[in-house]
Amino acid sequence: MSDYAEWIGRAIERSEPVTERMIEHFRVTLAGTRASLDVLPGFHWCLAPDAVEPQDFGRDGHPRTGIYLPALPLPRRMWAGGEVVWHGNLAQGEIVKRISTIRDVTFKQGRSGQLGFVTVDHAYEVDGEVRISDRQDIVYRDDPKPGAAPAAAPAEAWQALRSWRITPTPTLLFRYSALTFNGHRIHYDQPYVTEVEGYDGLVVHGPLQSTWMQNLATDILGRLPASFAYRGLSPLTVGRPVTVEAREVEGGLEMRVRRDEDGVVTMQGTITA
């Protein structure tokens, strides 16, 4: 693979106000899976998104690589995980500056072939004060090969401290994509997601699943956590009921999203209280 060292340290700054409309639309989108705060955990992902003209779309509907992110020679993009650290919360009327910096570009060989990883650090500032630090781990991979993905095993049973149940729908995916200005076709384009990317249906956003866990943890603690590290394990597609659940561990909470039909965990994370 080529050397992408020249991308390391590249930064982009954008600003956007926190509006009453945006707060309310995020709240109603998370009906049944939200904490009791004015500005909910995960809201920052609605602010200052990447935006390009249609001629600069990649095949997947995202801005093509080489504009904001390096042009890795692998076609499929996934938000694989990351970590959110809260130094404070956001409030209506504030102007939030998002500073996005590419930290690293690496490659490794996985079971399904070559994988490329791009790590991006996002700092969300208000008047020069960092309110939220957010590391995003993006993985790029080859198109799927027939029979290449083995079935995931069901997870161990938990004695959950608290849980929520939700069945994601196409409307939920549309509303979340609109709020975050996410054009990835795996969330709304059925022929593309099944025939090109090889999934069995419209894919539920990784950050949406992370948002469910962040809100459940905040609801349990009665406040924002100190931090939340998370990673995706298996795809979740629409129409498949899941349980978002938490259990106590030393120093915080262990979180996961688990498919009800087969017990497979689609995303897991650790809350530091």
Side-chain angles (χ1 to χ4, degrees):
M1 294 293 178
S2 301
D3 183 9
Y4 293 89
E6 70 274 9
W7 282 86
I8 307 301
R10 288 196 188 188
I12 297 173
E13 296 185 10
R14 294 193 186 86
S15 297
E16 185 168 7
V18 177
T19 67
E20 180 180 6
R21 181 203 64 79
M22 192 182 297
I23 291 171
E24 179 59 19
H25 286 190
F26 192 69
R27 288 184 59 79
V28 299
T29 298
L30 291 185
T33 57
R34 63 189 181 216
S36 298
L37 292 178
D38 291 336
V39 178
L40 297 173
F43 173 82
H44 67 285
W45 284 326
C46 300
L47 297 171
D50 294 334
V52 297
E53 300 280 352
Q55 65 266 23
D56 287 324
F57 291 163
R59 78 166 196 186
D60 62 4
H62 274 302
R64 61 174 173 79
T65 54
I67 299 176
Y68 301 123
L69 295 171
L72 274 58
L74 298 163
R76 298 170 69 206
R77 168 180 170 166
M78 294 170 48
W79 187 326
E83 182 175 22
V84 180
V85 179
W86 290 273
H87 312 287
N89 204 1
L90 305 174
Q92 182 181 325
E94 292 183 324
I95 305 296
V96 180
K97 178 191 289 185
R98 189 187 82 167
I99 305 170
S100 303
T101 307
I102 296 176
R103 181 203 294 185
D104 201 10
V105 182
T106 58
F107 293 90
K108 75 174 187 179
Q109 189 70 28
R111 288 182 300 175
S112 59
Q114 188 77 25
L115 300 173
F117 295 88
V118 179
T119 303
V120 184
D121 290 329
H122 303 282
Y124 292 80
E125 295 184 354
V126 177
D127 295 330
E129 173 194 5
V130 177
R131 297 284 182 82
I132 300 171
S133 301
D134 178 10
R135 188 194 79 240
Q136 180 182 356
D137 301 327
I138 305 168
V139 62
Y140 292 85
R141 60 200 328 159
D142 281 322
D143 283 327
K145 299 176 177 58
E156 62 172 305
W158 275 13
Q159 184 63 44
L161 179 64
R162 196 178 304 173
S163 63
W164 288 335
R165 294 191 72 247
I166 185 171
T167 301
T169 65
T171 302
L172 173 62
L173 268 60
F174 166 80
R175 295 176 82 173
Y176 187 77
S177 289
L179 282 165
T180 56
F181 206 66
N182 184 341
H184 202 316
R185 294 169 65 188
I186 62 172
H187 306 307
Y188 60 87
D189 187 333
Q190 183 78 13
Y192 174 82
V193 72
T194 56
E195 298 170 14
V196 178
E197 299 242 3
Y199 297 101
D200 62 7
L202 299 177
V203 176
V204 180
H205 311 67
L208 177 56
Q209 296 180 63
S210 175
T211 295
W212 293 338
M213 292 188 283
Q214 292 174 39
N215 277 266
L216 179 58
T218 299
D219 196 49
I220 292 169
L221 296 173
R223 56 172 172 80
L224 284 172
S227 65
F228 178 48
Y230 61 96
R231 65 189 183 100
L233 299 179
S234 293
L236 173 60
T237 52
V238 295
R240 307 180 83 168
V242 293
T243 298
V244 185
E245 53 192 356
R247 67 177 178 181
E248 286 187 288
V249 294
E250 185 176 355
L253 300 167
E254 189 173 356
M255 314 293 299
R256 69 184 185 182
V257 178
R258 176 177 50 83
R259 292 199 306 245
D260 291 351
E261 65 190 56
D262 56 11
V264 169
V265 173
T266 60
M267 181 167 281
Q268 67 180 22
T270 302
I271 288 284
T272 301

